[in-house]
Amino acid sequence: MYNVVCDLQSGLHAPTLRSSLSPISANRVSHIAKALRHDPAKSSSQREREADAREHWYTHTHDARLEARYRELEDVWVNFPSEMLEEHDQDLLPNRHDGGRLFDDVVTVEPEAARVPVDEDRVLTAHDDINELVDEYIDSVITCLSDPVPLTPKRLSHTAGKGSKPPLREPRRRDSSTTVLMRAYALFRCRHPTCEADGTPPTMFPVIHEHWREAHPDRSIWAIECDLSGYANGTLHL
C-alpha cells in the first residue's frame, strides 16, 4: 500500500498502475485517488465561512486594482497636453483627484475593467471630448457654490417672521450663477482641517477653487456630489 500511495503522488497515470495490480488493489487505488481529488463533506457553516472568505478576497483584490487604476487616471489627467484644455479657465480645472475621476467610468463600466491598466489612449478612446466632462465639473462647482448665496444683500438680513419658512430657491443658469459668485459678499472659506486650524480667511470665487486645487490636490472637493439639476444638492468642502 505504501508503494501505491507513493506512485499516486509521483504523478503516474492510473492505467499504468492498474496494469500491474490485482483487481482488488486497483479498486483501492481508485478509491484513494478519488479521496485525494475531492474534499470530504463540509458543514453548511463551513461552506458559508469559505464563501465569505472568497467574497472578502475578491472585494479586497478588486478594491486594490481599482485604487491602482484611479492613480493611473490621475496621472493621465495631470499629463494631458495644456492645449487640450486651453478653452477653460485654469483656475476652474479640477485638482488631481477629481480630474482623474472625470473618466472613472473607464474602470468601473464592468467588474473586469479594473484589471486593465489605464493610459491616455484608453481614456481618449472612451471619451473623445474631454472638454465636455470638464464643463460638467465646472457647472457642478458653480451651481453648488452659488446656490446658498443670496441674490441680493437684502436677503442676508432677517426679514421673515418667527417660524416662517425661507423662500424656495429657483434654479439658476450657469451665467446667472457665475454673476452671483462675482458679488462682493460671496465669500467662501476652505473647510479642510488644516486650513480651518490655520484660520485661513474667506475669499472670493474663483480664488477659493484655485486654492483647493493647489493646496489639496489629493482630496476631492466634493463632500456630497452635486446633481447638475440647477438645485444644488451637492456639498463642497468650501
Side-chain angles (χ1 to χ4, degrees), residues 13-99:
H13 297 296
T16 303
L17 286 170
R18 289 174 178 173
S19 63
S20 60
L21 295 172
S22 66
I24 296 178
S25 297
N27 289 335
R28 297 178 69 180
V29 169
S30 177
H31 177 75
I32 294 171
K34 184 176 181 181
L36 291 173
R37 287 196 304 268
H38 300 285
D39 291 332
K42 300 175 183 178
S43 66
S44 59
S45 60
Q46 183 178 356
R47 288 195 296 270
E48 289 175 0
R49 288 195 300 270
E50 291 180 356
D52 290 342
R54 286 193 297 270
E55 180 66 21
H56 176 76
W57 176 87
Y58 175 81
T59 301
H60 177 77
T61 303
H62 178 72
D63 289 348
R65 290 193 187 111
L66 198 58
E67 193 63 29
R69 300 294 85 81
Y70 281 141
R71 299 286 82 78
E72 292 167 355
L73 285 171
E74 292 172 6
D75 290 340
V76 169
W77 167 250
V78 298
N79 289 307
F80 270 139
S82 57
E83 56 267 21
M84 294 181 66
L85 302 167
E86 61 185 3
E87 68 180 67
H88 303 285
D89 185 338
Q90 298 299 299
D91 293 342
L92 298 181
L93 294 179
N95 64 5
R96 176 186 177 91
H97 180 282
D98 292 334

Side-chain angles (χ1 to χ4, degrees), residues 184-195:
Y185 55 83
L187 298 175
F188 306 92
R189 189 189 302 274
C190 178
R191 290 188 288 177
H192 190 279
T194 57
C195 293

Side-chain angles (χ1 to χ4, degrees), residues 147-195:
D147 185 72
V149 178
L151 293 174
T152 63
K154 183 178 180 180
R155 288 183 62 187
L156 289 172
S157 62
H158 181 71
T159 57
K162 184 176 180 181
S164 63
K165 295 181 179 180
L168 294 175
R169 294 190 180 96
E170 294 295 327
R172 300 177 185 172
R173 301 187 308 273
R174 176 173 174 177
D175 54 354
S176 63
S177 296
T178 304
T179 300
V180 169
L181 292 179
M182 294 298 104
R183 303 192 180 199
Y185 55 83
L187 298 175
F188 306 92
R189 189 189 302 274
C190 178
R191 290 188 288 177
H192 190 279
T194 57
C195 293

